[in-house]
Amino acid sequence: MMRFTMFGLWLLSIGLADARSSSSARELRFALRADPKTFHPLRISDTASSTVRYLTAGVLLRLDRAAQRMRGELAERWTVSADGRTIRFWLRPGLRFSDGSPLEAAQAAFCLRLLFDPRTHAAEREPFALGSEEALVAARGLELEIALPRPVAGLERLFDSVPIFHPQAVQPGARPADVPTAGPFRVAAYRPGEQVLLERNPHYFARDERGRRLPHAERLVLIIQQDRSAELIRFLRGELDGIERLEPDNVDQLAGKPGIVVRDLGPSLDTEQLWFNLSPRAPIASYKRNWFSQQGFRRAVSAVIDRRALARVVYRGHALPALGPISPANAFWANRHLRAVDPDLAAARRWLQSAGFVFTGGELKDRDGRRVEFTILTNAGNRPREHMAAMVAQDLARLGMRVSIATLDFPSLIERLTRTLNYESCLLGLVLNDLDPNEQSNVWLSSGPAHQWNPMQKSPATQWEAEIDRLMLEQAAERSPARRKRLFDSVQQIVVEQAPFIYLVYPHALVAYSKQLQGAAHAVLSPRLLWNAERLSIAEP
Amino acid sequence: MTARWLLTTLLAVCLLGPYLAPARPEAQFRDFPSAPPCRAFWLGTDELGRDVFSRLLYALRSSLLTAAPAAAAATLLGCTLGAAAGWWGGCWRLLVSRSADLLVSLPWILLLLAARAAFPLDLPPQAGLALVFFLLALLGWGPAALLGQMVAAQIRQAPFVLQAHAAGLSEHRILLRHVASQLRHTAVAQFWATAPAFIAAEMNLSLLGLGAPEPTPSLGVLLRPLSDPSTWAERPWLLAPVATAVTLLVLLQQAAGKDPA
C-alpha cells in the first residue's frame, strides 16, 4: 500500500521542480477546456470564447467578483435615472485601444448600437428586455447615454458582459491577432487545438495601487486542454499556474502539496439537476409523457432522492444538497423559506398514489398496468454526473421504478436536448455567471431556449409556467430590490412545488493555483481565478 | 492446452459469478465509499461503495460472454468471405479485399462513436453492451478476411488440391473436405487474436465513457478510474485487481491461440 502511494506521488510530481524556470516569469498559463468557437465579440455562446472576450474586450463597468459590486472600468462614473430607463456613463479621459487609437464615447456607442440591433442576434441583448423595440444611444465627447423603452432592474450589472471593441473586430474575416482591443490583453496568436496566446495591451488605462501599469503579466497563454486529468497533470508539473474548476476528487490529492494552494470557496452558483422531457414535440411514448407531466410523479422522484448522500459520496463533501433553483451562495436572491428535502419514501408513495400509480410486486405501474421505466441521459466522461445518475437510479428503484442510464458525448447530447428532443430525462448542470435573476430569464421564461423541460413555447403550456412568466417579467421591470426579491422568491417556490427541475446539489467552487501566482483573489463567480487577470503575475524566482 | 483449460475454468467461474459474488454489482453501500480491502469487501469498494470483487466477477462474465461470440462471429464472417474471395478470385476478390482493407485502415473508434450516438437510449444495459460487441464484430472482420483470402489462395494452388481436381472431386467437396479443414487452424488462431482485441476495444470505449452504461460492470467500466492519475496512489484496489485480471485474460487468450488445437 505504502509502495503504491510512494510510486503514485513520484509519478505525479515528475517535472514539478523546474517547469516554470523554462519560461518567462512574466508569463501566465491557464487552460481552456475547448477551442474558442469565435472571436466575434457579439456572437459568443461558449465558455472558451467568453473567457477570451473577458480578457481582451473592454467593458464600461466590471463586476468585482470578490466584492460582488460594480466598479467603473472604461467608464469612471455612471448614473441610472430614477425611472430605471436611462443610464449615463462618463468615460475616462485618454482611453486608447491596444494599437494606440483613441477610444471615446462614439466608439462605445458604435458597439452598443450594434449590440442592440436585433439583426445582430447578440445574446447580450436579451436581458435588456427590448423585444422588437430599440434602445437609443447618444454619445458626446466622453459622455454616453442609453435610453431604454422600459425600466430594467439591475441595469448597471448588465454592462459587465457588454463588450466595447474596435470596429475591426466585427469585420468579416478579421484575424484575431490584427484586432486592437480595449481590455487588459490582446490576442497575439491562436493555434487551434493548441493555445490562444494573449499579450498585454500596452495602452490599457489601469494602474495598481503603487502606480504601476496593468496588466503585470507580459503574456497570458491559454492552453487548450479538454481532458481534465491531463489539465491536473500539467498543473502538477508546473505547466499551468492554476485550475479554474477543480474536480472534487482532486482536492484531497492536491491539499498539502508544497507550492500549491487549494481552496474550497463553498457553494458555487452552479446547480446540478434532473428533469423530465415535457415537450409535446418530443418523439417519446405518449404514456411516458403523461407520467412526466404529472406533478405527483415529479414530486415523488424528488422526494426519494438522497441529496445528502450525493454531496457526501459523489462530491466527497464538496457540494451542498440543493434546496431549489438558487444556491445559498447567492445570499440575497436565494429563497430562505425553502428547506432541505430529506428522502421520504412514504411521502413519495403518497405522491405516486395521488397520481394514479400502483406499487405491486416490487414494481411501480401506471393506471394501465404499464411498468414505470425510463432512461436518464447525461454527458459521457463526466464522472460526478454518471455517479449521481447511478445513485438516483438506485433511489428510484426503492419506488419500483426501473431506470436505465445512457451517456452520450456532449455534442450528441446537446443535439438531443435542443434539436431532436429525443430523450426521456436528463441530468445536467447549469452554470450561472451572475447573481441577478435577469441572468436566468432564458431559463424561466416559457419562450426561452434554456427552458429545458419544454423549450421555446409559443404560449405557456401550463398555468404555473404562465405564472412564472408573469413574475419574471414583473420583477425585471421592478425598481425596488425588496419587491423584486418577493417576486423572485415566488418563482423559486413554484419551481420547487412543480419540480420541472429536480435540483440535486450545489457543487462547491474549487480552485487550485501555484503559490508563485501573485495577486490571486479567487471568487465564487466565474472566472474564478482569471477575473482579475490584469493583477496576476508570477513571483520572480 | 493448459491455457485453454485455464480459460475454460475462468469462464466457468465467471458463469457462476452471480452465485459467488457476495453482493449485486450495482448495490451501493453508501457508508463505505472507496473502502480499502477488508473482510466485508475482499477487494474494497469503489467511489459509490460498490463491492469491487462482485463487480469484477460480473464484468469478466459480461466481457467474456459478449467478446467471445463477437470474436467468433467476426472470424467466421471474415474467414468465409476471405476464403471465397481467395478461392474464386475476380470481382469477388476485389470487392472483399477492398472492403477488408477499408475496415482495417478506417479509424474504427470514430465509427463506433457515431454508431453509439445513434443507439436507442432506452436499451437495457446488458443489451447496450451486447450491441457494442455486435458493432465490433460488424467492423472487425477485416483482418480475418485478409488472412482467409491469403490462405485460400495458397490452398488453391496446393498439389493435393490439384490432385483432388484431377481425381474428379467436385469443387463443393474440395471446399468442404480440404479447404475448410485447412482454414480451421487459421480461424482458431485468428479467433484467439480477435477476442482480446475486442475486449480492449470495449475498454477503450468505456474509458471514453461510451461503453457499457452505469451501473453495468464491464472490464472497461472498471478501468475508468485509470483516467484519474491519483487513483493508483490513493485507491490502488480499484485498479490493481482489474488490471491483473485483464492482463491474465489477454495472456491466456494469446497462449491459447498458440496451443496446438
Side-chain angles (χ1 to χ4, degrees), chain A residues 173-185:
Chain A
R175 290 179 58 241
D178 297 337
V179 175
T181 62
F185 294 94

Side-chain angles (χ1 to χ4, degrees), chain A residues 351-415:
Chain A
W351 278 113
L352 287 170
Q353 215 169 6
S354 70
F357 291 89
V358 187
F359 184 72
T360 51
E363 296 182 354
L364 187 70
K365 294 186 173 166
D366 67 6
R367 278 197 183 93
D368 301 323
R370 291 192 187 92
R371 171 100 200 251
V372 174
E373 52 190 353
F374 60 87
T375 305
I376 298 177
L377 181 64
T378 192
N379 56 317
N382 188 313
R383 297 278 285 165
R385 286 192 187 136
E386 288 176 27
H387 283 159
M388 277 198 288
M391 290 182 73
V392 167
Q394 176 153 315
D395 286 341
L396 296 181
R398 296 170 67 202
L399 286 175
M401 296 182 185
R402 187 154 66 196
V403 179
S404 309
I405 299 159
T407 55
L408 281 180
D409 58 291
F410 209 67
S412 305
L413 177 81
I414 295 299
E415 171 80 6

Side-chain angles (χ1 to χ4, degrees), chain A residues 60 76-77 87-93 103-110 112-113 136-146:
Chain A
L60 294 166
E76 60 182 354
R77 60 195 171 91
I87 186 164
R88 185 174 292 173
F89 297 99
W90 285 267
L91 270 60
R92 295 172 194 276
L103 194 174
E104 292 184 341
Q107 282 78 26
F110 164 79
L112 289 163
R113 286 188 190 115
L136 298 174
V137 182
R140 193 176 56 238
L142 296 176
E143 211 176 310
L144 183 69
E145 187 178 281
I146 301 158

